[in-house]
Amino acid sequence: MKYEFIKVDEDTSKLKYKDKEFTIKNTVKIVSEIQGIIMQSRIKAIQDLAKQGQSIKDLTIERKENGKTYYDNSNRKELEAIYQQQAILEFFDNKCIDICGMTLSELMSDIGLSSEDDGEKFAQEFMQYLTGNTPRE
């Protein structure tokens, strides 16, 4: 295996690979920061739309059919998902820099993960250990 996560105690884990070792501490602060990401990303989406002279309501498509009105919010939901994903990636990149001194993609490259599947698996594990949401032993 190219890397290994080791659970030290309830709030501490270690990432080991090659001759390197990093301590990962999960805290209540990290979990609360993650919970705020969704709200922050929605606000940013609304602000960016406002700069373009649009509102979030402009993304809703209204369609009248047989005397009924239908609203399609798929554009709004997709825009929110894009902003949320970007905010989450940025958050974990910053946490990875704090812990390892490099971004998540730099860390994966340093470990030697080259396939997309390996990278996704590692990123998920890293996020689990960072948030304390690790598999039970």
Side-chain angles (χ1 to χ4, degrees), residues 65-94:
E65 199 174 287
N66 297 329
K68 293 184 178 181
T69 304
Y70 299 93
Y71 297 97
D72 179 355
N73 290 308
S74 59
N75 291 334
R76 177 188 54 82
K77 289 178 183 177
E78 185 171 339
L79 181 71
E80 286 178 353
I82 290 168
Y83 273 77
Q84 286 174 19
Q85 184 178 25
Q86 183 179 359
I88 289 168
L89 289 173
E90 187 177 308
F91 173 81
F92 282 110
D93 256 356
N94 290 334

PDB file of all heavy atoms in Angstrom, residues 65-94:
ATOM      1  N   GLU A  65     -48.801  25.124 -18.380  1.00  0.00           N
ATOM      2  CA  GLU A  65     -49.297  24.036 -19.207  1.00  0.00           C
ATOM      3  C   GLU A  65     -50.646  23.576 -18.682  1.00  0.00           C
ATOM      4  O   GLU A  65     -50.779  23.260 -17.499  1.00  0.00           O
ATOM      5  CB  GLU A  65     -48.272  22.882 -19.138  1.00  0.00           C
ATOM      6  CG  GLU A  65     -48.372  21.876 -20.241  1.00  0.00           C
ATOM      7  CD  GLU A  65     -47.228  20.876 -20.152  1.00  0.00           C
ATOM      8  OE1 GLU A  65     -46.092  21.254 -20.478  1.00  0.00           O
ATOM      9  OE2 GLU A  65     -47.493  19.724 -19.737  1.00  0.00           O
ATOM     10  N   ASN A  66     -51.633  23.591 -19.516  1.00  0.00           N
ATOM     11  CA  ASN A  66     -52.989  23.153 -19.157  1.00  0.00           C
ATOM     12  C   ASN A  66     -53.524  23.876 -17.927  1.00  0.00           C
ATOM     13  O   ASN A  66     -54.093  23.261 -17.029  1.00  0.00           O
ATOM     14  CB  ASN A  66     -53.030  21.639 -18.937  1.00  0.00           C
ATOM     15  CG  ASN A  66     -52.693  20.856 -20.184  1.00  0.00           C
ATOM     16  OD1 ASN A  66     -52.969  21.309 -21.302  1.00  0.00           O
ATOM     17  ND2 ASN A  66     -52.104  19.694 -20.008  1.00  0.00           N
ATOM     18  N   GLY A  67     -53.296  25.170 -17.862  1.00  0.00           N
ATOM     19  CA  GLY A  67     -53.799  25.963 -16.761  1.00  0.00           C
ATOM     20  C   GLY A  67     -53.003  25.830 -15.462  1.00  0.00           C
ATOM     21  O   GLY A  67     -53.383  26.390 -14.441  1.00  0.00           O
ATOM     22  N   LYS A  68     -51.933  25.078 -15.482  1.00  0.00           N
ATOM     23  CA  LYS A  68     -51.094  24.906 -14.294  1.00  0.00           C
ATOM     24  C   LYS A  68     -49.730  25.549 -14.548  1.00  0.00           C
ATOM     25  O   LYS A  68     -49.264  25.602 -15.675  1.00  0.00           O
ATOM     26  CB  LYS A  68     -50.891  23.431 -13.963  1.00  0.00           C
ATOM     27  CG  LYS A  68     -52.154  22.730 -13.518  1.00  0.00           C
ATOM     28  CD  LYS A  68     -51.862  21.303 -13.123  1.00  0.00           C
ATOM     29  CE  LYS A  68     -53.123  20.600 -12.637  1.00  0.00           C
ATOM     30  NZ  LYS A  68     -52.860  19.220 -12.234  1.00  0.00           N
ATOM     31  N   THR A  69     -49.099  25.992 -13.468  1.00  0.00           N
ATOM     32  CA  THR A  69     -47.770  26.589 -13.563  1.00  0.00           C
ATOM     33  C   THR A  69     -46.756  25.631 -12.953  1.00  0.00           C
ATOM     34  O   THR A  69     -46.932  25.149 -11.830  1.00  0.00           O
ATOM     35  CB  THR A  69     -47.722  27.939 -12.810  1.00  0.00           C
ATOM     36  OG1 THR A  69     -48.743  28.792 -13.339  1.00  0.00           O
ATOM     37  CG2 THR A  69     -46.373  28.613 -12.980  1.00  0.00           C
ATOM     38  N   TYR A  70     -45.700  25.372 -13.709  1.00  0.00           N
ATOM     39  CA  TYR A  70     -44.625  24.489 -13.263  1.00  0.00           C
ATOM     40  C   TYR A  70     -43.337  25.300 -13.139  1.00  0.00           C
ATOM     41  O   TYR A  70     -43.054  26.164 -13.974  1.00  0.00           O
ATOM     42  CB  TYR A  70     -44.405  23.340 -14.257  1.00  0.00           C
ATOM     43  CG  TYR A  70     -45.618  22.453 -14.419  1.00  0.00           C
ATOM     44  CD1 TYR A  70     -46.565  22.678 -15.419  1.00  0.00           C
ATOM     45  CD2 TYR A  70     -45.820  21.370 -13.563  1.00  0.00           C
ATOM     46  CE1 TYR A  70     -47.680  21.866 -15.567  1.00  0.00           C
ATOM     47  CE2 TYR A  70     -46.936  20.551 -13.699  1.00  0.00           C
ATOM     48  CZ  TYR A  70     -47.863  20.801 -14.699  1.00  0.00           C
ATOM     49  OH  TYR A  70     -48.959  19.994 -14.831  1.00  0.00           O
ATOM     50  N   TYR A  71     -42.570  25.010 -12.108  1.00  0.00           N
ATOM     51  CA  TYR A  71     -41.302  25.695 -11.891  1.00  0.00           C
ATOM     52  C   TYR A  71     -40.164  24.671 -11.943  1.00  0.00           C
ATOM     53  O   TYR A  71     -40.206  23.660 -11.237  1.00  0.00           O
ATOM     54  CB  TYR A  71     -41.289  26.404 -10.529  1.00  0.00           C
ATOM     55  CG  TYR A  71     -42.325  27.491 -10.438  1.00  0.00           C
ATOM     56  CD1 TYR A  71     -43.564  27.248  -9.841  1.00  0.00           C
ATOM     57  CD2 TYR A  71     -42.080  28.755 -10.955  1.00  0.00           C
ATOM     58  CE1 TYR A  71     -44.528  28.230  -9.770  1.00  0.00           C
ATOM     59  CE2 TYR A  71     -43.035  29.757 -10.890  1.00  0.00           C
ATOM     60  CZ  TYR A  71     -44.255  29.489 -10.296  1.00  0.00           C
ATOM     61  OH  TYR A  71     -45.213  30.474 -10.231  1.00  0.00           O
ATOM     62  N   ASP A  72     -39.194  24.961 -12.777  1.00  0.00           N
ATOM     63  CA  ASP A  72     -38.017  24.101 -12.912  1.00  0.00           C
ATOM     64  C   ASP A  72     -36.840  24.796 -12.226  1.00  0.00           C
ATOM     65  O   ASP A  72     -36.359  25.822 -12.689  1.00  0.00           O
ATOM     66  CB  ASP A  72     -37.720  23.862 -14.396  1.00  0.00           C
ATOM     67  CG  ASP A  72     -36.488  23.001 -14.629  1.00  0.00           C
ATOM     68  OD1 ASP A  72     -35.792  22.647 -13.650  1.00  0.00           O
ATOM     69  OD2 ASP A  72     -36.203  22.695 -15.810  1.00  0.00           O
ATOM     70  N   ASN A  73     -36.397  24.244 -11.111  1.00  0.00           N
ATOM     71  CA  ASN A  73     -35.289  24.821 -10.340  1.00  0.00           C
ATOM     72  C   ASN A  73     -33.960  24.109 -10.587  1.00  0.00           C
ATOM     73  O   ASN A  73     -33.010  24.294  -9.826  1.00  0.00           O
ATOM     74  CB  ASN A  73     -35.619  24.764  -8.840  1.00  0.00           C
ATOM     75  CG  ASN A  73     -36.725  25.719  -8.491  1.00  0.00           C
ATOM     76  OD1 ASN A  73     -36.663  26.891  -8.823  1.00  0.00           O
ATOM     77  ND2 ASN A  73     -37.757  25.205  -7.835  1.00  0.00           N
ATOM     78  N   SER A  74     -33.875  23.298 -11.634  1.00  0.00           N
ATOM     79  CA  SER A  74     -32.664  22.513 -11.869  1.00  0.00           C
ATOM     80  C   SER A  74     -31.437  23.396 -12.117  1.00  0.00           C
ATOM     81  O   SER A  74     -30.333  23.059 -11.677  1.00  0.00           O
ATOM     82  CB  SER A  74     -32.854  21.525 -13.020  1.00  0.00           C
ATOM     83  OG  SER A  74     -33.188  22.210 -14.210  1.00  0.00           O
ATOM     84  N   ASN A  75     -31.596  24.534 -12.786  1.00  0.00           N
ATOM     85  CA  ASN A  75     -30.455  25.436 -13.019  1.00  0.00           C
ATOM     86  C   ASN A  75     -29.932  26.000 -11.697  1.00  0.00           C
ATOM     87  O   ASN A  75     -28.721  26.082 -11.484  1.00  0.00           O
ATOM     88  CB  ASN A  75     -30.830  26.580 -13.951  1.00  0.00           C
ATOM     89  CG  ASN A  75     -31.076  26.115 -15.367  1.00  0.00           C
ATOM     90  OD1 ASN A  75     -30.550  25.105 -15.798  1.00  0.00           O
ATOM     91  ND2 ASN A  75     -31.891  26.865 -16.097  1.00  0.00           N
ATOM     92  N   ARG A  76     -30.839  26.394 -10.822  1.00  0.00           N
ATOM     93  CA  ARG A  76     -30.443  26.923  -9.511  1.00  0.00           C
ATOM     94  C   ARG A  76     -29.722  25.857  -8.706  1.00  0.00           C
ATOM     95  O   ARG A  76     -28.666  26.096  -8.112  1.00  0.00           O
ATOM     96  CB  ARG A  76     -31.667  27.429  -8.743  1.00  0.00           C
ATOM     97  CG  ARG A  76     -31.330  27.932  -7.319  1.00  0.00           C
ATOM     98  CD  ARG A  76     -32.570  28.259  -6.497  1.00  0.00           C
ATOM     99  NE  ARG A  76     -33.531  27.182  -6.402  1.00  0.00           N
ATOM    100  CZ  ARG A  76     -33.440  26.162  -5.545  1.00  0.00           C
ATOM    101  NH1 ARG A  76     -32.415  26.061  -4.734  1.00  0.00           N
ATOM    102  NH2 ARG A  76     -34.376  25.236  -5.507  1.00  0.00           N
ATOM    103  N   LYS A  77     -30.283  24.649  -8.688  1.00  0.00           N
ATOM    104  CA  LYS A  77     -29.677  23.557  -7.923  1.00  0.00           C
ATOM    105  C   LYS A  77     -28.289  23.204  -8.465  1.00  0.00           C
ATOM    106  O   LYS A  77     -27.364  22.950  -7.694  1.00  0.00           O
ATOM    107  CB  LYS A  77     -30.580  22.329  -7.943  1.00  0.00           C
ATOM    108  CG  LYS A  77     -31.840  22.505  -7.120  1.00  0.00           C
ATOM    109  CD  LYS A  77     -32.733  21.294  -7.203  1.00  0.00           C
ATOM    110  CE  LYS A  77     -34.020  21.532  -6.428  1.00  0.00           C
ATOM    111  NZ  LYS A  77     -34.943  20.404  -6.535  1.00  0.00           N
ATOM    112  N   GLU A  78     -28.149  23.221  -9.779  1.00  0.00           N
ATOM    113  CA  GLU A  78     -26.843  22.905 -10.374  1.00  0.00           C
ATOM    114  C   GLU A  78     -25.814  23.980 -10.041  1.00  0.00           C
ATOM    115  O   GLU A  78     -24.673  23.671  -9.694  1.00  0.00           O
ATOM    116  CB  GLU A  78     -26.968  22.754 -11.888  1.00  0.00           C
ATOM    117  CG  GLU A  78     -25.673  22.298 -12.522  1.00  0.00           C
ATOM    118  CD  GLU A  78     -25.832  21.922 -13.982  1.00  0.00           C
ATOM    119  OE1 GLU A  78     -26.950  21.634 -14.434  1.00  0.00           O
ATOM    120  OE2 GLU A  78     -24.794  21.925 -14.671  1.00  0.00           O
ATOM    121  N   LEU A  79     -26.219  25.245 -10.116  1.00  0.00           N
ATOM    122  CA  LEU A  79     -25.301  26.332  -9.771  1.00  0.00           C
ATOM    123  C   LEU A  79     -24.885  26.229  -8.305  1.00  0.00           C
ATOM    124  O   LEU A  79     -23.694  26.351  -7.983  1.00  0.00           O
ATOM    125  CB  LEU A  79     -25.945  27.699 -10.038  1.00  0.00           C
ATOM    126  CG  LEU A  79     -25.055  28.891  -9.725  1.00  0.00           C
ATOM    127  CD1 LEU A  79     -23.926  29.002 -10.741  1.00  0.00           C
ATOM    128  CD2 LEU A  79     -25.862  30.174  -9.679  1.00  0.00           C
ATOM    129  N   GLU A  80     -25.824  25.980  -7.421  1.00  0.00           N
ATOM    130  CA  GLU A  80     -25.505  25.830  -5.994  1.00  0.00           C
ATOM    131  C   GLU A  80     -24.552  24.660  -5.773  1.00  0.00           C
ATOM    132  O   GLU A  80     -23.619  24.759  -4.983  1.00  0.00           O
ATOM    133  CB  GLU A  80     -26.779  25.650  -5.175  1.00  0.00           C
ATOM    134  CG  GLU A  80     -27.580  26.921  -5.017  1.00  0.00           C
ATOM    135  CD  GLU A  80     -28.870  26.729  -4.236  1.00  0.00           C
ATOM    136  OE1 GLU A  80     -29.237  25.577  -3.918  1.00  0.00           O
ATOM    137  OE2 GLU A  80     -29.520  27.741  -3.940  1.00  0.00           O
ATOM    138  N   ALA A  81     -24.780  23.547  -6.475  1.00  0.00           N
ATOM    139  CA  ALA A  81     -23.910  22.378  -6.324  1.00  0.00           C
ATOM    140  C   ALA A  81     -22.480  22.690  -6.776  1.00  0.00           C
ATOM    141  O   ALA A  81     -21.512  22.268  -6.136  1.00  0.00           O
ATOM    142  CB  ALA A  81     -24.469  21.197  -7.118  1.00  0.00           C
ATOM    143  N   ILE A  82     -22.350  23.447  -7.851  1.00  0.00           N
ATOM    144  CA  ILE A  82     -21.020  23.824  -8.340  1.00  0.00           C
ATOM    145  C   ILE A  82     -20.307  24.691  -7.313  1.00  0.00           C
ATOM    146  O   ILE A  82     -19.135  24.464  -6.997  1.00  0.00           O
ATOM    147  CB  ILE A  82     -21.131  24.553  -9.702  1.00  0.00           C
ATOM    148  CG1 ILE A  82     -21.553  23.565 -10.790  1.00  0.00           C
ATOM    149  CG2 ILE A  82     -19.816  25.236 -10.070  1.00  0.00           C
ATOM    150  CD1 ILE A  82     -21.976  24.219 -12.094  1.00  0.00           C
ATOM    151  N   TYR A  83     -21.001  25.669  -6.766  1.00  0.00           N
ATOM    152  CA  TYR A  83     -20.403  26.543  -5.755  1.00  0.00           C
ATOM    153  C   TYR A  83     -20.065  25.776  -4.479  1.00  0.00           C
ATOM    154  O   TYR A  83     -19.028  26.005  -3.861  1.00  0.00           O
ATOM    155  CB  TYR A  83     -21.335  27.731  -5.442  1.00  0.00           C
ATOM    156  CG  TYR A  83     -21.144  28.898  -6.373  1.00  0.00           C
ATOM    157  CD1 TYR A  83     -21.659  28.888  -7.657  1.00  0.00           C
ATOM    158  CD2 TYR A  83     -20.429  30.023  -5.968  1.00  0.00           C
ATOM    159  CE1 TYR A  83     -21.477  29.960  -8.517  1.00  0.00           C
ATOM    160  CE2 TYR A  83     -20.252  31.108  -6.823  1.00  0.00           C
ATOM    161  CZ  TYR A  83     -20.774  31.066  -8.093  1.00  0.00           C
ATOM    162  OH  TYR A  83     -20.582  32.137  -8.943  1.00  0.00           O
ATOM    163  N   GLN A  84     -20.940  24.843  -4.085  1.00  0.00           N
ATOM    164  CA  GLN A  84     -20.681  24.036  -2.891  1.00  0.00           C
ATOM    165  C   GLN A  84     -19.451  23.161  -3.088  1.00  0.00           C
ATOM    166  O   GLN A  84     -18.581  23.079  -2.213  1.00  0.00           O
ATOM    167  CB  GLN A  84     -21.887  23.166  -2.560  1.00  0.00           C
ATOM    168  CG  GLN A  84     -23.034  23.931  -1.964  1.00  0.00           C
ATOM    169  CD  GLN A  84     -24.270  23.076  -1.772  1.00  0.00           C
ATOM    170  OE1 GLN A  84     -24.184  21.851  -1.752  1.00  0.00           O
ATOM    171  NE2 GLN A  84     -25.422  23.706  -1.656  1.00  0.00           N
ATOM    172  N   GLN A  85     -19.364  22.513  -4.244  1.00  0.00           N
ATOM    173  CA  GLN A  85     -18.233  21.638  -4.513  1.00  0.00           C
ATOM    174  C   GLN A  85     -16.926  22.437  -4.514  1.00  0.00           C
ATOM    175  O   GLN A  85     -15.926  22.005  -3.941  1.00  0.00           O
ATOM    176  CB  GLN A  85     -18.418  20.933  -5.858  1.00  0.00           C
ATOM    177  CG  GLN A  85     -17.335  19.929  -6.156  1.00  0.00           C
ATOM    178  CD  GLN A  85     -17.577  19.208  -7.466  1.00  0.00           C
ATOM    179  OE1 GLN A  85     -18.249  19.698  -8.371  1.00  0.00           O
ATOM    180  NE2 GLN A  85     -17.012  18.018  -7.587  1.00  0.00           N
ATOM    181  N   GLN A  86     -16.952  23.607  -5.119  1.00  0.00           N
ATOM    182  CA  GLN A  86     -15.759  24.455  -5.154  1.00  0.00           C
ATOM    183  C   GLN A  86     -15.353  24.869  -3.736  1.00  0.00           C
ATOM    184  O   GLN A  86     -14.176  24.838  -3.376  1.00  0.00           O
ATOM    185  CB  GLN A  86     -16.023  25.691  -6.012  1.00  0.00           C
ATOM    186  CG  GLN A  86     -14.839  26.601  -6.168  1.00  0.00           C
ATOM    187  CD  GLN A  86     -15.160  27.804  -7.050  1.00  0.00           C
ATOM    188  OE1 GLN A  86     -16.262  27.959  -7.563  1.00  0.00           O
ATOM    189  NE2 GLN A  86     -14.187  28.671  -7.218  1.00  0.00           N
ATOM    190  N   ALA A  87     -16.332  25.247  -2.912  1.00  0.00           N
ATOM    191  CA  ALA A  87     -16.043  25.675  -1.540  1.00  0.00           C
ATOM    192  C   ALA A  87     -15.500  24.516  -0.697  1.00  0.00           C
ATOM    193  O   ALA A  87     -14.575  24.694   0.096  1.00  0.00           O
ATOM    194  CB  ALA A  87     -17.303  26.254  -0.889  1.00  0.00           C
ATOM    195  N   ILE A  88     -16.059  23.336  -0.878  1.00  0.00           N
ATOM    196  CA  ILE A  88     -15.602  22.167  -0.134  1.00  0.00           C
ATOM    197  C   ILE A  88     -14.173  21.797  -0.526  1.00  0.00           C
ATOM    198  O   ILE A  88     -13.330  21.527   0.331  1.00  0.00           O
ATOM    199  CB  ILE A  88     -16.569  20.974  -0.327  1.00  0.00           C
ATOM    200  CG1 ILE A  88     -17.887  21.260   0.415  1.00  0.00           C
ATOM    201  CG2 ILE A  88     -15.950  19.662   0.139  1.00  0.00           C
ATOM    202  CD1 ILE A  88     -19.017  20.313   0.075  1.00  0.00           C
ATOM    203  N   LEU A  89     -13.885  21.806  -1.828  1.00  0.00           N
ATOM    204  CA  LEU A  89     -12.527  21.506  -2.283  1.00  0.00           C
ATOM    205  C   LEU A  89     -11.526  22.519  -1.747  1.00  0.00           C
ATOM    206  O   LEU A  89     -10.433  22.154  -1.299  1.00  0.00           O
ATOM    207  CB  LEU A  89     -12.471  21.464  -3.812  1.00  0.00           C
ATOM    208  CG  LEU A  89     -13.146  20.266  -4.471  1.00  0.00           C
ATOM    209  CD1 LEU A  89     -13.169  20.431  -5.988  1.00  0.00           C
ATOM    210  CD2 LEU A  89     -12.455  18.966  -4.090  1.00  0.00           C
ATOM    211  N   GLU A  90     -11.903  23.786  -1.768  1.00  0.00           N
ATOM    212  CA  GLU A  90     -11.030  24.838  -1.246  1.00  0.00           C
ATOM    213  C   GLU A  90     -10.786  24.651   0.258  1.00  0.00           C
ATOM    214  O   GLU A  90      -9.658  24.785   0.739  1.00  0.00           O
ATOM    215  CB  GLU A  90     -11.665  26.206  -1.510  1.00  0.00           C
ATOM    216  CG  GLU A  90     -10.782  27.377  -1.174  1.00  0.00           C
ATOM    217  CD  GLU A  90     -11.453  28.695  -1.544  1.00  0.00           C
ATOM    218  OE1 GLU A  90     -11.910  28.835  -2.696  1.00  0.00           O
ATOM    219  OE2 GLU A  90     -11.501  29.588  -0.670  1.00  0.00           O
ATOM    220  N   PHE A  91     -11.836  24.316   0.987  1.00  0.00           N
ATOM    221  CA  PHE A  91     -11.721  24.086   2.429  1.00  0.00           C
ATOM    222  C   PHE A  91     -10.734  22.950   2.725  1.00  0.00           C
ATOM    223  O   PHE A  91      -9.831  23.095   3.544  1.00  0.00           O
ATOM    224  CB  PHE A  91     -13.101  23.768   3.025  1.00  0.00           C
ATOM    225  CG  PHE A  91     -13.051  23.368   4.467  1.00  0.00           C
ATOM    226  CD1 PHE A  91     -12.962  24.322   5.461  1.00  0.00           C
ATOM    227  CD2 PHE A  91     -13.073  22.032   4.838  1.00  0.00           C
ATOM    228  CE1 PHE A  91     -12.906  23.961   6.809  1.00  0.00           C
ATOM    229  CE2 PHE A  91     -13.020  21.662   6.172  1.00  0.00           C
ATOM    230  CZ  PHE A  91     -12.937  22.627   7.156  1.00  0.00           C
ATOM    231  N   PHE A  92     -10.915  21.809   2.052  1.00  0.00           N
ATOM    232  CA  PHE A  92     -10.044  20.669   2.308  1.00  0.00           C
ATOM    233  C   PHE A  92      -8.620  20.916   1.808  1.00  0.00           C
ATOM    234  O   PHE A  92      -7.667  20.429   2.411  1.00  0.00           O
ATOM    235  CB  PHE A  92     -10.632  19.377   1.742  1.00  0.00           C
ATOM    236  CG  PHE A  92     -11.719  18.821   2.624  1.00  0.00           C
ATOM    237  CD1 PHE A  92     -13.038  18.839   2.217  1.00  0.00           C
ATOM    238  CD2 PHE A  92     -11.424  18.307   3.878  1.00  0.00           C
ATOM    239  CE1 PHE A  92     -14.037  18.343   3.036  1.00  0.00           C
ATOM    240  CE2 PHE A  92     -12.413  17.812   4.706  1.00  0.00           C
ATOM    241  CZ  PHE A  92     -13.727  17.831   4.287  1.00  0.00           C
ATOM    242  N   ASP A  93      -8.474  21.680   0.732  1.00  0.00           N
ATOM    243  CA  ASP A  93      -7.129  22.068   0.285  1.00  0.00           C
ATOM    244  C   ASP A  93      -6.425  22.872   1.370  1.00  0.00           C
ATOM    245  O   ASP A  93      -5.260  22.626   1.682  1.00  0.00           O
ATOM    246  CB  ASP A  93      -7.199  22.901  -1.002  1.00  0.00           C
ATOM    247  CG  ASP A  93      -6.801  22.115  -2.240  1.00  0.00           C
ATOM    248  OD1 ASP A  93      -6.398  20.939  -2.106  1.00  0.00           O
ATOM    249  OD2 ASP A  93      -6.872  22.688  -3.329  1.00  0.00           O
ATOM    250  N   ASN A  94      -7.148  23.827   1.954  1.00  0.00           N
ATOM    251  CA  ASN A  94      -6.560  24.651   3.020  1.00  0.00           C
ATOM    252  C   ASN A  94      -6.203  23.817   4.244  1.00  0.00           C
ATOM    253  O   ASN A  94      -5.157  24.022   4.867  1.00  0.00           O
ATOM    254  CB  ASN A  94      -7.494  25.803   3.399  1.00  0.00           C
ATOM    255  CG  ASN A  94      -7.576  26.849   2.314  1.00  0.00           C
ATOM    256  OD1 ASN A  94      -6.655  27.015   1.515  1.00  0.00           O
ATOM    257  ND2 ASN A  94      -8.685  27.559   2.258  1.00  0.00           N
TER     258      ASN A  94
END
